[in-house]
Amino acid sequence: PDPQAGHNHEQTQDRLCGGPQPNSIDTSLSHHPVCPALCTTAKCIAAHTCEYRSRPSCDESWVEIQSKRTIKAENEVEANKLVNNYRFGFRKWKSHVTERPLEVRSEVVKELYSELNVIKPHSGRLITCGNVAYVFFFGWWVSLAYFLVGILMFVTIAGAVYGRLCWKLSSYFLWPFGKSIHEVLCGKMLFESCILLPSPTEVPIPEPLGRPLRTPYWHRFSTYVWLLLGYPPLVVIHSLACFFSWILVFTIPVSKMNARTLGVILLLAPEDVSNQGYETRALLCCYHAVNLYYYKYTVDGINVFAVNLLPLVIVALVIGYIDRENQYASSEVKFAIAIGSIIPLSYYIGMGIASISAQSNFAVGAVVNASFGSITELTFYITALVRGHQAANPCLQEVVKAALTGTLLGCILFIPGVCMIIGGLRHSEQTFNSRSTGVSSPLLFISVGGVFAPTLFSKAYGNLVCEACTNSTGGNSTSNSSGPFVCHNCHYDLNNGTLFHNHVEPLVYTVSALLPIAYIIGLIFTLKTHSHIYDIHVGEEQVTGHHGAVVHWSRWRSMVILIMATVLTSACADLVTENIQPILNQPNISQYFIGVTVLAMVPEIPEIVNGIQFALQNNISLSLEVGICIAVQVCMLQIPILVFFNAFYDVGFVLLFSDLHLWASIFSVILVNYIFMDGKSDYFQGTALVVVYLILLAMYYFAPSPASC
């Protein structure tokens, strides 16, 4: 390199090797098998850049080193979570598992968690689309309720003071923006314009002499008139406003405003509004009814959308197990609610897995991931197979196979494709180390090949049997008429003979035993023999403590939530299979299509969200690994478990797939590995994957239903 480049190189080395950064945890390679002389720690990468870049034997290693990112986290728990994200076999998790101090968050996030009792300097416009929408959706009926309650209080005479309070609040809630409600510390509340105040500081007001004495709040007759007649209807009104504004998520400020009014303001003495005040403090001040960034809002570490969907679980269980006769809800409604309730349960299961893995060693994390990572899908598959066997309905077996294939197609094509599109629109072109999928991508070929090997074997040695064969002249297959024959319901006959029991069935068990072994070998590779790749360091010292990390869920709490979510998932899956038959009986929709779409992809919605968030942060490697990890677990864990479950409790599950499942899966694996070869992604490649996925869905939509359905 030239002298100027060398000078820049030294500056880079000084910057990287200048000492440990506080509160920074980095993970990097400790040595490299190809170039042992190459120091690959974060401090020495720059020092050896020029020396080894020119060596042909190390060119590939240098590309790999460049693609490695130093992982930084606030504490060891978050560092373990991030490292687990890069490990084979671990589900990828985006959200934090520890509490983050509010003071280190961005101003946008601080605004989300700020209370509505601080007056802030505000120079923006108050007449916005969100504020105007508040008037139409919330303001007018809340204001009307206060006006009517005020009339009721005047009628009682004893509650006239509360009537005046209600009329003032009626005006306030019609347009609360730019106004504030203050409580005088000696017993008074004021309505003021908060945009006129120069700062959020509280300004004391001189106390006048001769302050009148007041009857204690709970010794007044008017208080009980208010609590019996005026307060209850307002509880209903504010509760409804809180509920609807919280469910809409982006209007959570409206929910906070109504909750604070209900819990604080309406329980204060009415003369705090009418009398003159002394020292005041702000109780309520709102500037905007809508904030688009509330999709980031969390409650105890759980995203607000998952929190809002959790009541669906209760609704599904109540109407599913109580209304057996479909008097209050149809089977279609029960099916929709039950399948929707699986989404928050999947999120809670993922949060529990991430929390336990981040707080434990990698062996425990691997066991938890392997045990609970596929629990949502397995509960549905096993429940459907058992119910289909008990009801003598072989159609559910075909639906399970369609759901397995749909999960494969969605994780191989749809999830990477959507992540590439969204990430490419923000970052133009995203690069990733093609070797980062060096463990998972080849296993896709192994796993898909192993899963569909019995199907290929049966097609090679099975007897093709057709029914209702007729020739062009209308004769049946036994006639001597010449001409082409048209046959229907053609299938490979395996059960009538020794081929299935003596050849295909042993092959199924052999493959089902080999696939988990390959999965375990992948775990040993990343957790044992090559664990040095993911060593965690803080500066020069190994991390031993949590550095004051406060986790949202402890290990025991996470385990309890995992078990509860698993039980609830089983109950909801039972309701799905119980009420799915009317959906399957729809004449215009193939059962294949229902399996590969709704049943396959609904449980994966939290994973899709995680992948999109990784892509938006320019971490496309993890976005791709999200789908590959699920696909590998489907083939190497879920399907073998179903096979061995069928061996112990015969539910009629046979590992033989239709031609459409077979060729769609094989084509998808070949396509995605071809796209991953160059180590680059953009929205065009993502569009190609999504379009292919939609074409396959169209094939399933127009495909005839299985013969057993």
Side-chain angles (χ1 to χ4, degrees):
D2 56 24
Q4 181 63 33
H7 177 66
N8 294 337
H9 171 74
E10 292 176 0
Q11 289 180 344
T12 303
Q13 179 181 354
D14 293 339
R15 183 169 63 254
L16 289 175
C17 305
Q21 300 295 324
N23 298 326
S24 176
I25 299 174
D26 62 331
T27 63
S28 54
L29 297 174
S30 59
H31 67 275
H32 197 276
V34 179
C35 305
L38 181 58
C39 175
T40 59
T41 61
K43 291 185 177 183
C44 303
I45 290 177
H48 296 274
T49 299
C50 300
E51 177 181 355
Y52 285 96
R53 181 176 287 186
S54 59
R55 293 177 57 176
S57 61
C58 294
D59 284 346
E60 206 168 302
S61 301
W62 170 248
V63 172
E64 182 176 350
I65 293 168
Q66 281 186 315
S67 65
K68 294 289 182 182
R69 293 184 177 182
T70 299
I71 301 176
K72 295 183 179 180
E74 297 89 347
N75 50 68
E76 181 195 2
V77 176
E78 287 299 325
N80 286 340
K81 185 207 71 175
L82 292 174
V83 170
N84 290 341
N85 277 344
Y86 287 94
R87 292 186 181 277
F88 161 73
F90 281 68
R91 292 255 174 154
K92 318 308 175 188
W93 192 253
K94 177 63 180 66
S95 302
H96 277 63
V97 297
T98 59
E99 296 182 9
R100 303 180 67 188
L102 192 60
E103 56 270 13
V104 302
R105 309 291 294 273
S106 65
E107 293 299 324
V108 171
V109 176
K110 289 180 182 179
E111 179 65 24
L112 302 182
Y113 295 95
S114 63
E115 296 294 335
L116 299 181
N117 58 353
V118 177
I119 301 176
K120 308 169 186 177
H122 183 75
S123 58
R125 297 174 54 189
L126 294 177
I127 303 179
T128 62
C129 294
N131 290 353
V132 173
Y134 162 83
V135 176
F136 286 99
F137 291 103
F138 296 99
W140 71 269
W141 56 273
V142 174
S143 176
L144 178 61
Y146 270 102
F147 182 79
L148 297 178
V149 172
I151 294 176
L152 176 63
M153 288 295 100
F154 277 112
V155 170
T156 62
I157 300 177
V161 288
Y162 285 99
R164 288 190 289 269
L165 171 63
C166 289
W167 283 0
K168 290 182 179 180
L169 289 175
S170 175
S171 174
Y172 176 83
F173 279 103
L174 184 62
W175 183 267
F177 313 109
K179 304 175 184 177
S180 65
I181 300 177
H182 290 255
E183 179 192 10
V184 177
L185 298 183
C186 64
K188 180 224 173 220
M189 190 180 296
L190 294 172
F191 291 86
E192 298 183 358
S193 175
C194 51
I195 58 176
L196 300 179
L197 297 180
S199 67
T201 58
E202 296 175 354
V203 181
I205 301 175
E207 178 179 348
L209 299 176
R211 194 172 49 183
L213 295 177
R214 300 188 304 177
T215 304
Y217 181 72
W218 295 106
H219 293 176
R220 308 173 191 175
F221 179 71
S222 61
T223 298
Y224 297 97
V225 173
W226 165 252
L227 294 179
L228 290 175
L229 298 179
Y231 187 68
L234 293 178
V235 169
V236 176
I237 293 297
H238 282 296
S239 298
L240 290 174
C242 281
F243 174 77
F244 289 116
S245 56
W246 181 274
I247 290 296
L248 294 174
V249 176
F250 302 107
T251 57
I252 286 181
V254 178
S255 179
K256 291 182 176 180
M257 180 174 61
N258 283 272
R260 189 164 184 82
T261 302
L262 187 61
V264 177
I265 296 174
L266 295 183
L267 296 178
L268 293 175
E271 60 268 20
D272 291 348
V273 178
S274 59
N275 294 342
Q276 293 297 319
Y278 309 104
E279 295 183 358
T280 65
R281 65 184 178 94
L283 288 179
L284 187 61
C285 186
C286 184
Y287 300 97
H288 295 288
V290 176
N291 189 336
L292 298 179
Y293 288 97
Y294 264 101
Y295 69 89
K296 298 182 177 182
Y297 197 76
T298 60
V299 179
D300 197 20
I302 300 297
N303 186 269
V304 62
F305 288 100
V307 174
N308 287 349
L309 289 175
L310 197 59
L312 279 180
V313 179
I314 300 176
V315 175
L317 296 178
V318 170
I319 68 173
Y321 288 108
I322 294 180
D323 184 24
R324 290 288 188 177
E325 302 299 327
N326 294 343
Q327 295 180 353
Y328 303 100
S330 63
S331 294
E332 291 83 355
V333 173
K334 292 180 180 178
F335 173 83
I337 296 176
I339 199 72
S341 65
I342 294 179
I343 299 175
L345 292 175
S346 300
Y347 189 95
Y348 275 80
I349 289 174
M351 180 70 173
I353 293 173
S355 297
I356 294 177
S357 301
Q359 301 174 70
S360 310
N361 57 52
F362 295 138
V364 174
V367 172
V368 172
N369 271 271
S371 303
F372 290 93
S374 302
I375 198 70
T376 302
E377 297 87 347
L378 282 174
T379 52
F380 167 73
Y381 299 148
I382 293 176
T383 303
L385 291 175
V386 172
R387 184 172 292 276
H389 174 69
Q390 294 174 347
N393 183 9
C395 183
L396 288 179
Q397 182 186 144
E398 294 299 325
V399 171
V400 168
K401 293 179 183 178
L404 288 168
T405 308
T407 304
L408 279 177
L409 299 180
C411 294
I412 294 174
L413 297 175
F414 181 73
I415 295 179
V418 169
C419 294
M420 285 182 176
I421 292 174
I422 296 178
L425 291 176
R426 169 172 287 193
H427 302 286
S428 182
E429 183 179 83
Q430 295 178 294
T431 60
F432 60 93
N433 182 11
S434 57
R435 288 192 172 184
S436 65
T437 56
V439 180
S440 301
S441 291
L443 284 177
L444 278 178
F445 281 107
I446 300 173
S447 56
V448 171
V451 166
F452 290 100
T455 303
L456 293 172
F457 186 86
S458 67
K459 294 185 182 303
Y461 296 99
N463 295 320
L464 183 64
V465 177
C466 297
E467 301 174 0
C469 294
T470 58
N471 58 21
S472 57
T473 60
N476 57 30
S477 59
T478 60
S479 65
N480 296 325
S481 302
S482 60
F485 281 88
V486 178
C487 299
H488 303 279
N489 298 330
C490 296
H491 60 277
Y492 286 91
D493 187 11
L494 299 175
N495 295 317
N496 297 331
T498 61
L499 178 64
F500 177 78
H501 296 289
N502 294 345
H503 300 279
V504 177
E505 194 172 31
L507 175 61
V508 170
Y509 290 134
T510 302
V511 169
S512 299
L514 290 175
L515 289 178
I517 292 175
Y519 184 85
I520 294 173
I521 292 174
L523 292 178
I524 295 175
F525 177 84
T526 56
L527 303 180
K528 184 67 176 177
T529 61
H530 288 67
S531 61
H532 59 270
I533 297 176
Y534 303 98
D535 281 345
I536 302 175
H537 298 277
V538 178
E540 296 289 345
E541 300 178 358
Q542 184 75 16
V543 177
T544 57
H546 287 185
H547 295 282
V550 179
V551 295
H552 291 294
W553 297 353
S554 64
R555 292 184 184 90
W556 283 108
R557 183 183 179 187
S558 300
M559 183 57 66
V560 170
I561 292 176
L562 269 180
I563 295 174
M564 291 179 59
T566 301
V567 173
L568 293 175
T569 301
S570 301
C572 292
D574 180 66
L575 292 174
V576 170
T577 56
E578 180 181 349
N579 297 281
I580 195 176
Q581 197 58 47
I583 307 296
L584 298 179
N585 292 336
Q586 296 293 326
N588 299 326
I589 302 178
S590 172
Q591 284 82 353
Y592 285 141
F593 182 77
I594 297 173
V596 299
T597 53
V598 178
L599 302 180
M601 296 308 296
V602 166
E604 312 303 338
I605 288 179
E607 307 293 340
I608 297 174
V609 174
N610 286 334
I612 291 174
Q613 289 179 328
F614 286 130
L616 289 174
Q617 294 185 349
N618 202 21
N619 197 349
I620 193 64
S621 296
L622 286 185
S623 296
L624 304 180
E625 285 288 335
V626 165
I628 294 177
C629 175
I630 301 174
V632 169
Q633 283 193 347
V634 168
C635 294
M636 295 192 165
L637 289 181
Q638 296 179 20
I639 291 179
I641 289 175
L642 293 179
V643 171
F644 289 119
F645 174 80
N646 184 80
F648 287 100
Y649 181 71
D650 189 4
V651 292
F653 180 73
V654 180
L655 195 63
L656 297 176
F657 293 84
S658 67
D659 288 352
L660 186 57
H661 296 331
L662 170 67
W663 300 118
S665 300
I666 293 177
F667 174 74
S668 301
V669 172
I670 295 175
L671 174 64
V672 78
N673 277 275
Y674 173 77
I675 289 182
F676 287 172
M677 287 176 58
D678 61 351
K680 299 178 181 179
S681 70
D682 49 49
Y683 72 89
F684 177 75
Q685 291 179 332
T687 302
L689 292 179
V690 173
V691 169
V692 171
Y693 177 73
L694 295 178
I695 291 174
L696 293 177
L697 289 190
M699 293 173 59
Y700 279 106
Y701 183 83
F702 294 105
S705 298
S708 58
C709 295

